[in-house]
């Protein structure tokens, strides 16, 4: 992510944004204090990424870095104009991006939308968090906010933070440094041995010029199809993730007219043997190669079992850097052209927070 930021500082490809509708008016003073407490509990939110004038980039934590909080009041505007302002503010927050050394890498914009309607636009750089973190961050923010609103002092929360058993992101970094990287390198090298293709989905027509970085197409799967997928997974001692992974592999094989494809799979990184890692705030995800290789006459059940074994084995080595994995292959940085993500973390939404979420 740092490489891509340095290569194209204006790119917004690693800017994460979630928007939430709150069914009451947010007090700005309490919100700002809650964000400060949040960054005290999760020090990674005070991160800066230093790279200029040094031989090796550093992730540092500033003692007094405060999350940015912005408040906009549009309660006096008509409904149509409110929606326009709201979406424009969200869009500009993404386009604004982040300077990885100078900016707070987390900022929250509070839009006072109606008398009992507030919109929170939560914008962060992906280099310090992954999607798994958002539920924890949101819940903890409202725990602090509601406590302050009910009369608790910030000093009480600060004392709890200092004496509490909080799992810092640095624990993951220490764990990562202890892993057997040579063994991991050998595993990935063996998995990708003799692979000589480049799996891609080329455009059918020349795409139109656009400033948008991402377009999203959403498709809902009906309950009956989901039930069939679960049964297929159960019958083959597999998971729905593996079933979808197999389907993705077969689709790419047909598209590329080959029986052997490799695509990237994003993993959570939450399988590390660290107590409390499921609530850790930081960037733990990684992208690893998934290889789907079939032969004439192979039954789908056999392929599912092969992919399930590969997924289980790969989990032991999914901490290994993708750049290092690619360096052992003939394709190098062209190894992965298609990315597959199976997300199963919660969105962070509940009745108190609201029912609207957007990600950019």
């Amino acid at each position: 992510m740092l490489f891509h930021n340095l290569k194209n500082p204006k790119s917004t490809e690693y800017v994460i944004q979630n928007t939430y509708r709150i069914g009451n008016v947010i007090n700005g003073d309490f919100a700002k204090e809650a964000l400060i407490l949040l960054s005290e509990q999760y020090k990674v939110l005070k991160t800066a990424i230093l790279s200029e004038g040094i031989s090796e980039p550093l992730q540092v934590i500033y003692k007094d870095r405060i999350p940015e909080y912005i408040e906009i009041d549009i309660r006096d505007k008509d409904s149509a104009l409110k929606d326009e302002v709201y979406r424009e503010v969200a869009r500009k927050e993404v386009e604004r991006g982040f300077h990885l050394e100078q900016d707070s890498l987390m900022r929250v914009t509070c839009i006072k939308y109606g008398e009992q309607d507030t919109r929170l636009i939560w914008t962060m750089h992906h280099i310090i968090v992954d999607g798994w973190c958002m539920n924890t961050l949101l819940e903890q923010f409202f725990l602090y906010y509601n406590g302050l609103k009910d009369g608790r002092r910030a000093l009480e929360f600060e004392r709890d933070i200092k004496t509490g058993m909080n799992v810092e992101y640095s624990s993951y970094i220490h764990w990562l440094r202890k892993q057997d990287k040579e063994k991991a390198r050998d595993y990935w090298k063996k998995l990708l041995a003799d692979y000589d293709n480049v799996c891609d989905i080329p455009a059918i027509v020349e795409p139109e010029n656009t400033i948008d970085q991402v377009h999203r197409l959403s498709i809902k799967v009906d309950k009956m199809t989901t039930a069939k997928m679960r049964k297929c997974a159960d019958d083959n001692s597999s998971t729905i993730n593996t079933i979808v992974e197999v389907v993705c592999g077969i689709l790419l094989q047909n598209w590329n007219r080959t029986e052997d494809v490799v695509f990237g799979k994003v993993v959570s990184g939450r399988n590390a043997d660290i107590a409390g890692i499921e609530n850790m705030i930081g960037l733990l995800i990684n992208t690893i190669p998934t290889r789907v290789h079939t032969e004439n006459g192979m039954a789908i059940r056999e392929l599912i079992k092969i992919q399930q074994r590969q997924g289980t084995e790969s989990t032991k080595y999914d901490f290994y850097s993708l750049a290092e994995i690619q360096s052992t292959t003939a394709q190098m940085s062209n190894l992965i052209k298609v990315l597959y993500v199976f997300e199963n973390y919660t969105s962070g939404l509940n009745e108190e927070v609201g029912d609207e979420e957007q990600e950019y």
Side-chain angles (χ1 to χ4, degrees):
M1 293 181 188
L2 173 60
F3 170 80
H4 287 289
N5 180 270
L6 294 173
K7 185 178 179 182
N8 184 7
K10 293 183 179 180
S11 173
T12 61
E13 61 185 322
Y14 289 117
V15 175
I16 298 175
Q17 186 181 88
N18 291 70
T19 66
Y20 305 99
R21 178 182 294 167
I22 316 299
N24 51 53
V25 176
I26 292 289
N27 180 299
D29 291 335
F30 293 151
K32 282 188 277 189
E33 194 64 49
L35 287 172
I36 292 172
L37 289 169
L38 198 65
S39 65
E40 285 297 321
Q41 179 168 1
Y42 305 114
K43 298 292 194 299
V44 71
L45 300 179
K46 296 183 175 187
T47 286
I49 309 297
L50 308 186
S51 59
E52 297 180 12
I54 54 179
S55 59
E56 183 179 359
L58 296 174
Q59 181 171 1
V60 302
I61 296 172
Y62 287 112
K63 181 179 179 181
D64 298 320
R65 172 160 282 189
I66 298 175
E68 186 174 344
Y69 177 80
I70 306 160
E71 199 167 86
I72 301 172
D73 194 338
I74 58 173
R75 286 176 290 183
D76 60 341
K77 301 185 184 299
D78 61 63
S79 297
L81 190 55
K82 283 181 182 180
D83 285 342
E84 184 179 336
V85 171
Y86 168 56
R87 296 186 184 282
E88 181 68 8
V89 170
R91 184 181 64 80
K92 286 185 176 179
E93 277 299 294
V94 172
E95 291 180 351
R96 177 184 165 189
F98 293 91
H99 190 290
L100 297 184
E101 291 193 14
Q102 299 174 7
D103 294 342
S104 167
L105 301 184
M106 176 181 77
R107 56 178 180 260
V108 174
T109 301
C110 174
I111 298 183
K112 294 184 176 181
Y113 199 88
E115 292 309 316
Q116 294 297 320
D117 188 355
T118 304
R119 311 295 171 88
L120 288 182
I121 303 174
W122 207 297
T123 311
M124 308 179 74
H125 198 285
H126 204 346
I127 204 165
I128 62 167
V129 293
D130 51 40
W132 187 290
C133 301
M134 291 311 300
N135 186 34
T136 300
L137 286 174
L138 199 66
E139 287 184 352
Q140 198 65 31
F141 167 78
F142 276 105
L143 186 150
Y144 290 139
Y145 175 82
N146 289 326
L148 292 166
K149 191 174 67 171
D150 292 341
R152 285 195 66 182
R153 296 184 303 163
L155 285 174
E156 294 179 53
F157 284 120
E158 289 174 3
R159 187 164 55 246
D160 292 344
I161 290 169
K162 289 178 181 178
T163 57
M165 298 294 291
N166 187 40
V167 183
E168 287 288 355
Y169 182 59
S170 56
S171 300
Y172 175 71
I173 301 300
H174 293 316
W175 174 88
L176 198 59
R177 287 173 176 165
K178 294 178 182 177
Q179 301 313 296
D180 190 337
K181 293 183 173 58
E182 287 299 319
K183 193 173 181 180
R185 179 184 175 89
D186 291 343
Y187 168 78
W188 292 112
K189 194 171 182 179
K190 182 179 179 181
L191 178 69
L192 300 170
D194 71 12
Y195 178 69
D196 57 4
N197 298 322
V198 174
C199 172
D200 200 0
I201 304 180
I204 298 174
V205 297
E206 185 70 24
E208 298 179 4
N209 290 329
T210 177
I211 62 171
D212 295 337
Q213 300 255 341
V214 175
H215 283 182
R216 173 174 293 176
L217 175 64
S218 298
I219 299 172
K220 291 186 177 180
V221 179
D222 60 70
K223 291 182 179 179
M224 185 176 294
T225 302
T226 303
K228 289 179 179 179
M229 291 169 64
R230 284 202 180 99
K231 186 176 185 307
C232 181
D234 291 342
D235 289 346
N236 292 280
S237 302
S238 178
T239 63
I240 290 182
N241 175 30
T242 299
I243 301 300
V244 180
E245 195 176 296
V246 166
V247 173
C248 180
I250 294 172
L251 176 68
L252 291 172
Q253 286 179 343
N254 289 334
W255 197 271
N256 289 268
R257 298 179 180 178
T258 178
E259 295 180 336
D260 195 5
V261 295
V262 168
F263 56 91
K265 177 171 67 175
V266 177
V267 292
S268 72
R270 304 275 167 169
N271 59 313
D273 186 19
I274 302 172
I277 193 170
E278 64 277 0
N279 294 318
M280 184 181 290
I281 302 301
L283 181 66
L284 278 71
I285 61 168
N286 190 23
T287 299
I288 60 173
T290 294
R291 187 173 184 177
V292 181
H293 187 190
T294 57
E295 298 176 357
N296 288 335
M298 178 180 285
I300 191 70
R301 289 179 179 274
E302 184 181 353
L303 180 59
I304 292 172
K305 285 179 168 54
I306 289 172
Q307 294 307 126
Q308 184 65 38
R309 283 198 300 270
Q310 182 186 140
T312 301
E313 190 69 16
S314 294
T315 299
K316 301 174 186 176
Y317 308 105
D318 63 9
F319 61 86
Y320 197 58
S321 161
L322 176 61
E324 295 291 342
I325 295 172
Q326 291 179 142
S327 70
T328 66
T329 67
Q331 296 85 356
M332 299 293 283
S333 61
N334 289 318
L335 176 68
I336 291 175
K337 294 287 191 177
V338 178
L339 200 60
Y340 165 83
V341 187
F342 189 93
E343 295 181 346
N344 61 353
Y345 56 79
T346 56
S347 66
L349 302 182
N350 53 47
E351 292 181 2
E352 177 186 7
V353 177
D355 60 0
E356 180 176 2
E357 180 189 43
Q358 296 175 333
E359 294 183 351
Y360 292 82

